[in-house]
Amino acid sequence: MGRLSRKVSLQFFLFVVLVLIFIGVFTFLSFVRASKEEYTSYLEAKKQDVYSWFIEYKKSLRDNLEFFLENGRLLPEVKLLVEYKPDNIAVFKDEVNLSESYENLLSEFGNTFYAFHGELLYFYQVDYSGRKFLLASKVDKSLIDALSSSLGKDTLVFLYKDGLYIVPEDFKELEIYPTMVKNLYDDSSERPVNYVAVRSWLDQLLFGSKYLVDRVELVGANVYILQSEKLLSIFQKRFAYLMLAVTMFVLLFSFTFSATLNSYISRALKNIIEGFESIKQGKFEKVKIKSRDELQLIAQELNKTMEFIKDTLEKLKLSNEQLKEASIIAQQANKMKSEFLANMSHEMRTPMNAVLGFTELLMAEEDNPEKRKYLSTIYKSGEHLLNLINDVLDLSKIESGKLETFKVPYSPRELLKNLVETYIPLASSKELHLAYNIDEAIPEYLLGDELRIRQILTNLISNAIKFTETGYVTIRAINGETTIDYIVKDTGIGISEKDFKRIFEPFTQLDGTMSRKYGGTGLGLTITKRLVELLEGELFIKSSPGKGTEITIRLKKEIPSVVSNIPTESDKSSSLMLLLITQDTELLENLGSTFSRHGMKYRYTDDLDLAKLLLNNQEFSFVLLDGDSYVGELKGFLKKLKIPFLILSERRNIDQIFGEFTVAKPISEDRLINKIYSTIQKAEKFVPKKAKILIVEDNEANRLLFKKMLEKMGHEVKVVENGKIAVEIMSKEKFDMVFMDMQMPIMDGYTATRKLRKKGIETPIIALTAHTLRGDEEKALIAGCDGYLGKPVKRKDLLDVVRKFLDLKKNEEIGNEENPDIEDASSAFKGRVEVFAKKMGLSMEEALTMFKEYGRFIEERIEFIQKKIKEEDFESLAIEGHSLKGSGSMYSVEEVSKLGLSIEKSAKEQRIDELHSQLKALIKLKRKIWG
């Protein structure tokens, strides 16, 4: 840009300004340095004058003493006069009134300044004509004023002693602060010190009044001398004015000189900016500059850029339209895929339910071995087809982002033990050794998605057995600082390193012969890898052809807070799981030792609310309660208990309340173990003579299947095809149980269940659905269902559910028959209202209205909590939990208050799995109290 730079001469003027500033600064600093040296020398002379003044001051005191001895009168400034004689002390005047004795005054205050009661005294010891005197004189402002005047008009002094300042009046007028002067002097290492007295913003701008400060020490007191640098300040101000004038002249000259150049450049730049604005607006108007310098070249390049941008935008516009159309198509396809998943899950599982169910029924009745073999083949093929359907649906759900994880407490020991027990028959059929090993340091419980972890390990173990002909298959769990490694190792055919990526691709096997020899779809490892990624874990593989394979699954180690970590021994031959509930630590130790010796697995808690959560989230076979720890709370807890139980108590009358379900303390070890097993056996053998069960199912084949299965158990079964008919028939007839399909025409199961609950019908309702997505069970519970079964339903699962809920009904009947004091739902509700009315000072009518309104409020809060859990809005959930904690206490519903506290804590710790459990507990509590 040579031509343009020749026009720009501003650099010259900048150089002139810089030279001018350099000369000015150099001159200023030289003068300041010379002035300071001069003032420093002058200040030293003033310090000598202070010493001379002090000598004169002491001489005046001596003269005062001589005058007193000759004339008998003392001047007023003398406050104390004491003569010390060999045999006594003569006090001529004492206006000081010190606490010290006169004997000590001479040694302590012989020749020094002393601050006393806001006044400064100077004690002076005088030897006069062989006599020894002690004088004390008051040092006031007038004395310091005289000193300051003697040093000249350009000098100020003040005296300091032990926090007391003696300051002349001039300091106030000049706004000089002795404290600041002293602190500045003490903090500085330079001598003398510069001090600037600033009285206004103009003084601050023009350096203010400057002083050089030094100090003279006089027998314990400090005299600070401020030497004015007035001439230097005047020079600084005048120099500042001069520099300002010169600067203004240079700026004015520069402005005038550059005006023409700026005018030219501004016009050119304006045209260029207008060119950019036209690009922004999409007009693309060309820039025109009439000159022969670099600005014209810029304009030409800008015009070329405009043409390029214009062409590019037209291409982008066309591409965006195509992308928009593709995005709409993709969204529609994704929506259709989600709907397809839901529909396929329902439509494929529903007929499979009938195929497997009827085959199971026929197998149970068939005595002919050959026919049983055919039926077994059909059943296994059906299960294989169902597994294939599950694999395809899982892969589709993963790819569409519809597969969710759900963390719950699980036992890694039980997980590996159950997996090995499941696959031992298959391994034995191939004469393979199948074993597992778990690190002792691994916690008893971990937090994770047990279903998906089991699915991952199942796929790996199944593959390992499938591709291993001789040798062994092992699975190990290794504890890390922050991770858990699950390692599946085999001695099978192995894989070459170049094929590691291929085996995780969908529907892929390494060659066609492998598919024919070993079977399979090639989906297992694909789903395994995707599930590991979904769980935020890592997958590692080591293998070589002919030497076997080792696959490691590394997952984050999370330890739950709601499950006790008491270690227990697991007996391989026992599937019994006990829940022990007690607050007695000695009883806990004794029973824990007993259970361990007898190979019984057990869990422990000291909180009934926590026990409810454990019973909802884990499979327990038996509950043992310490009746003495929970007096008054047992009845309500046992009414909803769904498994066998025993109560231990020292109270002699407890067997009158709970009958055969009680054991008196103390009890021998063998008798307790026998009692537990006999109670479990009685519960397993219990079958009601004839239960009346309603099946609500739109699929005719499934209606027939469920009817046949239940009638074989001796139950009376009635079937209807939709929810509307179910509501009508249940309004007229009474049933012991209802199996309700959730997806039906006319009226679905969710709507029907809500209508039945609103009518006050409390019959147990079990949800049936072929939808297996996460959240379906919670949705059914919110609607009012008591249980949940996913299709296809196996005969064992169906019978277990029937036994479970009919056992519950039996327990309720036993409790009500043997203990008339146990309240029903309506009387319990009334009792709560009475407590609330008494607490708040309300009438029963007012309390009843408010309590019912609180029930509706809880229902709204349940919907709100469900929404916020879905959004993972932990802040709102913590606030909501805190609100429930307070409202529960106010309405005397302590269960709500405890759940609110748990929700608040879980939300703050962002434990989504605990929040799901607490929401379910709140739903059940709402139904229990308000219906």
Side-chain angles (χ1 to χ4, degrees):
M1 298 180 68
R3 297 178 183 178
L4 184 60
S5 62
R6 284 195 297 269
K7 297 179 181 179
V8 181
S9 303
L10 187 60
Q11 294 180 2
F12 169 76
F13 296 98
L14 292 175
F15 172 76
V16 172
V17 171
L18 290 174
V19 171
L20 187 63
I21 292 173
F22 174 77
I23 294 173
V25 169
F26 178 78
T27 304
F28 175 76
L29 293 177
S30 299
F31 180 80
V32 168
R33 182 177 180 182
S35 300
K36 186 171 183 178
E37 291 176 354
E38 183 67 26
Y39 278 112
T40 302
S41 176
Y42 191 46
L43 184 60
E44 286 296 325
K46 295 297 178 74
K47 288 169 67 176
Q48 297 302 321
D49 292 342
V50 171
Y51 287 122
S52 299
W53 167 82
F54 185 57
I55 292 170
E56 289 295 326
Y57 174 62
K58 290 197 293 184
K59 184 175 180 300
S60 67
L61 292 177
R62 187 180 184 88
D63 293 343
N64 201 336
L65 174 62
E66 185 179 350
F67 180 78
F68 168 73
L69 294 175
E70 293 176 356
N71 301 298
R73 286 189 298 111
L74 280 172
L75 296 177
E77 60 266 21
V78 177
K79 300 297 182 182
L80 174 70
L81 179 59
V82 179
E83 182 180 1
Y84 291 88
K85 300 179 181 179
D87 53 349
N88 65 351
I89 298 173
V91 180
F92 300 106
K93 184 177 182 181
D94 184 3
E95 294 180 2
V96 178
N97 297 322
L98 292 172
S99 59
E100 297 288 337
S101 63
Y102 292 111
E103 291 84 351
N104 296 332
L105 281 179
L106 188 64
S107 60
E108 291 189 17
F109 304 104
N111 187 19
T112 185
F113 287 93
Y114 180 66
F116 180 69
H117 291 313
E119 293 183 346
L120 185 63
L121 302 174
Y122 173 63
F123 288 87
Y124 180 40
Q125 179 182 337
V126 181
D127 291 326
Y128 185 82
S129 301
R131 299 168 65 184
K132 184 179 292 185
F133 294 91
L134 179 65
L135 291 87
S137 173
K138 179 181 177 182
V139 180
D140 54 14
K141 290 183 180 180
S142 60
L143 186 65
I144 301 303
D145 281 335
L147 171 61
S148 183
S149 300
S150 68
L151 296 176
K153 293 182 178 181
D154 59 346
T155 305
L156 299 172
V157 295
F158 69 88
L159 192 143
Y160 171 79
K161 171 67 177 177
D162 295 338
L164 182 64
Y165 293 87
I166 308 299
V167 183
E169 291 295 333
D170 293 344
F171 275 64
K172 292 183 180 179
E173 297 176 5
L174 298 173
E175 296 186 12
I176 298 174
Y177 302 101
T179 306
M180 293 177 62
V181 175
K182 176 185 176 301
N183 291 339
L184 177 66
Y185 186 88
D186 293 345
D187 294 341
S188 176
S189 59
E190 293 183 8
R191 297 293 182 269
V193 178
N194 286 311
Y195 173 74
V196 180
V198 178
R199 287 178 288 174
S200 66
W201 65 269
L202 187 60
D203 285 337
Q204 189 172 4
L205 184 63
L206 299 177
F207 309 105
S209 299
K210 298 184 66 176
Y211 295 89
L212 276 179
V213 181
D214 212 336
R215 185 176 68 189
V216 175
E217 295 184 7
L218 298 176
V219 290
N222 293 323
V223 177
Y224 288 87
I225 306 170
L226 285 78
Q227 176 63 52
S228 174
E229 297 180 283
K230 189 173 182 181
L231 293 177
L232 180 60
S233 297
I234 293 173
F235 169 76
Q236 289 173 339
K237 292 177 182 179
R238 292 179 179 177
F239 188 82
Y241 294 145
L242 178 62
M243 288 300 296
L244 180 62
V246 172
T247 302
M248 291 299 296
F249 171 77
V250 172
L251 290 176
L252 180 62
F253 183 78
S254 299
F255 175 78
T256 304
F257 178 82
S258 61
T260 305
L261 180 61
N262 286 340
S263 177
Y264 166 74
I265 294 176
S266 296
R267 285 195 303 270
L269 291 177
K270 183 180 178 182
N271 291 335
I272 292 172
I273 292 171
E274 288 175 352
F276 281 111
E277 288 293 329
S278 71
I279 294 174
K280 188 189 299 183
Q281 297 171 6
K283 296 179 180 179
F284 301 101
E285 297 175 353
K286 292 186 177 182
V287 178
K288 298 179 180 179
I289 297 178
K290 296 180 179 180
S291 65
R292 295 183 179 180
D293 51 30
E294 285 79 357
L295 289 174
Q296 186 183 35
L297 294 175
I298 292 173
Q300 290 172 355
E301 291 299 321
L302 179 59
N303 291 333
K304 292 179 183 178
T305 305
M306 282 185 189
E307 292 295 330
F308 174 76
I309 294 174
K310 185 176 180 181
D311 294 340
T312 303
L313 286 176
E314 289 178 356
K315 293 177 182 178
L316 285 174
K317 184 178 180 182
L318 181 62
S319 299
N320 285 338
E321 290 176 356
Q322 294 173 347
L323 285 173
K324 187 176 181 181
E325 292 176 2
S327 176
I328 293 171
I329 294 171
Q331 289 174 4
Q332 292 173 345
N334 193 42
K335 183 179 179 182
M336 291 173 65
K337 188 174 183 179
S338 300
E339 293 174 355
F340 170 79
L341 283 176
N343 293 332
M344 283 298 292
S345 176
H346 184 271
E347 296 301 327
M348 297 177 78
R349 290 173 186 272
T350 298
M352 287 304 300
N353 183 67
V355 171
L356 294 175
F358 280 115
T359 303
E360 197 173 8
L361 279 176
L362 291 172
M363 288 171 64
E365 297 175 352
E366 186 57 58
D367 295 328
N368 187 303
E370 188 174 359
K371 290 182 179 179
R372 281 183 59 83
K373 183 178 180 181
Y374 296 156
L375 290 171
S376 177
T377 302
I378 294 172
Y379 190 82
K380 289 178 180 178
S381 298
E383 283 193 320
H384 178 72
L385 178 58
L386 184 62
N387 290 333
L388 178 59
I389 292 170
N390 289 338
D391 283 347
V392 174
L393 290 176
D394 279 347
L395 182 61
S396 300
K397 283 186 278 187
I398 292 171
E399 290 181 342
S400 62
K402 296 295 181 182
L403 191 68
E404 299 177 1
T405 60
F406 189 70
K407 293 182 180 179
V408 295
Y410 76 95
S411 170
R413 290 173 174 81
E414 290 300 314
L415 175 63
L416 298 194
K417 172 178 168 292
N418 293 337
L419 284 171
V420 170
E421 288 176 352
T422 301
Y423 280 98
I424 275 181
L426 180 60
S428 299
S429 68
K430 299 183 69 174
E431 297 182 354
L432 298 176
H433 177 67
L434 177 62
Y436 76 98
N437 180 271
I438 187 164
D439 195 335
E440 290 296 327
I442 291 180
E444 181 68 20
Y445 279 92
L446 295 173
L447 195 64
D449 192 327
E450 182 180 12
L451 174 64
R452 300 305 171 192
I453 296 172
R454 182 185 296 273
Q455 186 176 357
I456 290 167
L457 297 178
T458 297
N459 285 339
L460 295 179
I461 296 172
S462 175
N463 270 6
I465 295 174
K466 181 192 298 184
F467 295 104
T468 302
E469 297 298 331
T470 59
Y472 63 85
V473 175
T474 62
I475 176 169
R476 290 181 294 154
I478 298 177
N479 185 54
E481 289 188 8
T482 59
T483 59
I484 296 290
D485 287 356
Y486 293 102
I487 304 173
V488 178
K489 186 175 182 180
D490 62 62
T491 56
I493 61 175
I495 312 162
S496 63
E497 188 174 351
K498 64 183 179 64
D499 293 323
F500 282 178
K501 290 185 179 180
R502 284 186 58 205
I503 62 173
F504 294 108
E505 295 176 1
F507 305 103
T508 299
Q509 291 193 342
L510 296 185
D511 56 53
T513 59
M514 196 172 286
S515 177
R516 289 192 297 272
K517 182 177 180 180
Y518 297 104
T521 60
L523 283 177
L525 288 178
T526 303
I527 293 172
T528 296
K529 188 173 187 298
R530 303 286 178 85
L531 287 176
V532 171
E533 292 170 351
L534 194 66
L535 296 177
E536 298 180 350
E538 296 177 278
L539 185 149
F540 307 96
I541 182 169
K542 296 178 182 177
S543 183
S544 58
K547 295 185 179 180
T549 304
E550 179 180 296
I551 298 180
T552 301
I553 306 299
R554 180 165 295 163
L555 302 175
K556 291 180 181 178
K557 182 169 70 175
E558 297 182 63
I559 301 176
S561 59
V562 296
V563 180
S564 174
N565 283 330
I566 295 177
T568 60
E569 294 293 332
S570 179
D571 185 355
K572 294 182 180 180
S573 64
S574 174
S575 61
L576 185 66
M577 175 66 78
L578 280 73
L579 178 61
L580 174 60
I581 308 173
T582 180
Q583 295 176 348
D584 187 339
T585 54
E586 184 176 352
L587 179 64
L588 169 63
E589 292 176 1
N590 292 335
L591 291 179
S593 176
T594 298
F595 294 152
S596 297
R597 283 195 298 274
H598 286 267
M600 291 181 172
K601 295 176 289 185
Y602 75 99
R603 300 292 175 266
Y604 148 77
T605 181
D606 59 358
D607 190 318
L608 284 179
D609 290 329
L610 183 56
K612 295 174 185 177
L613 289 175
L614 290 171
L615 288 167
N616 285 335
N617 286 289
Q618 297 183 46
E619 290 294 331
F620 288 92
S621 308
F622 189 82
V623 175
L624 186 62
L625 300 101
D626 181 8
D628 298 331
S629 297
Y630 307 96
V631 178
E633 298 180 69
L634 288 176
K635 298 174 184 177
F637 177 79
L638 294 175
K639 283 186 69 176
K640 294 297 182 182
L641 193 60
K642 303 173 185 177
I643 57 176
F645 67 92
L646 281 177
I647 302 171
L648 297 173
S649 179
E650 294 178 348
R651 293 183 294 158
R652 298 302 176 189
N653 63 339
I654 195 165
D655 59 341
Q656 299 175 3
I657 301 175
F658 297 101
E660 62 179 343
F661 299 98
T662 61
V663 176
K665 298 178 186 175
I667 183 172
S668 68
E669 181 174 310
D670 290 338
R671 182 166 168 257
L672 175 63
I673 297 300
N674 292 334
K675 183 70 173 176
I676 290 173
Y677 277 113
S678 64
T679 304
I680 294 173
Q681 289 170 1
K682 286 180 182 179
E684 289 176 346
K685 292 176 182 177
F686 168 74
V687 177
K689 293 180 180 178
K690 192 175 185 181
K692 190 174 181 181
I693 300 175
L694 178 65
I695 305 295
V696 188
E697 167 68 66
D698 63 325
N699 185 277
E700 185 177 356
N702 285 339
R703 288 202 301 270
L704 178 60
L705 174 63
F706 293 139
K707 189 172 186 296
K708 290 295 182 183
M709 284 183 174
L710 293 171
E711 284 179 344
K712 274 184 168 292
M713 294 178 65
H715 302 300
E716 178 186 348
V717 183
K718 182 169 283 190
V719 296
V720 296
E721 59 268 23
N722 62 61
K724 183 179 179 182
I725 301 174
V727 173
E728 292 173 356
I729 197 170
M730 289 188 69
S731 301
K732 301 173 184 177
E733 299 182 39
K734 186 176 180 180
F735 293 88
D736 296 303
M737 272 189 81
V738 178
F739 285 93
M740 180 81 71
D741 186 23
M742 294 290 104
Q743 303 293 327
M744 296 182 292
I746 301 178
M747 182 183 291
D748 62 28
Y750 300 109
T751 306
T753 302
R754 283 192 288 265
K755 285 183 176 292
L756 290 171
R757 295 311 185 204
K758 285 183 179 179
K759 287 176 176 286
I761 298 173
E762 292 298 321
T763 304
I765 299 175
I766 310 302
L768 297 172
T769 178
H771 286 174
T772 56
L773 297 175
R774 287 287 171 87
D776 288 340
E777 181 180 0
E778 190 175 296
K779 186 178 178 183
L781 291 174
I782 291 173
C785 294
D786 298 277
Y788 175 91
L789 278 177
K791 295 178 184 177
V793 179
K794 293 187 178 180
R795 182 171 178 269
K796 179 182 179 299
D797 295 336
L798 181 68
L799 300 185
D800 285 346
V801 169
V802 172
R803 176 180 294 165
K804 179 180 179 181
F805 281 92
L806 293 182
D807 280 354
L808 172 62
K809 188 175 181 65
K810 177 191 175 188
N811 288 341
E812 291 177 349
E813 290 170 355
I814 290 172
N816 289 333
E817 288 173 3
E818 298 188 5
N819 179 25
D821 296 331
I822 295 180
E823 300 175 329
D824 59 16
S826 59
S827 60
F829 181 83
K830 183 179 177 182
R832 288 179 182 272
V833 175
E834 288 176 351
V835 172
F836 174 58
K838 184 176 180 181
K839 178 180 179 181
M840 303 302 293
L842 302 170
S843 66
M844 279 298 293
E845 184 178 353
E846 291 171 331
L848 181 61
T849 302
M850 291 179 65
F851 202 74
K852 286 181 177 179
E853 183 63 33
Y854 184 58
R856 288 189 285 272
F857 168 78
I858 293 296
E859 188 172 353
E860 292 173 0
R861 296 299 90 197
I862 287 171
E863 294 177 0
F864 177 81
I865 291 171
Q866 184 185 13
K867 178 183 177 184
K868 294 303 176 183
I869 289 176
K870 191 173 182 181
E871 296 173 355
E872 295 190 2
D873 186 351
F874 296 107
E875 184 177 354
S876 298
L877 286 167
I879 295 171
E880 188 62 33
H882 185 78
S883 173
L884 286 174
K885 181 175 66 176
S887 68
S889 299
M890 187 177 72
Y891 281 87
S892 302
V893 187
E894 294 303 324
E895 298 97 319
V896 171
S897 184
K898 288 181 180 179
L899 277 172
L901 179 62
S902 300
I903 290 170
E904 181 182 11
K905 182 180 177 182
S906 298
K908 288 179 178 178
E909 296 175 357
Q910 298 189 2
R911 297 182 179 272
I912 196 73
D913 57 313
E914 293 180 15
L915 288 168
H916 279 287
S917 300
Q918 289 151 3
L919 174 60
K920 291 179 184 177
L922 185 60
I923 292 167
K924 290 180 180 178
L925 179 63
K926 191 268 174 188
R927 286 180 46 213
K928 173 184 174 183
I929 298 177
W930 288 278

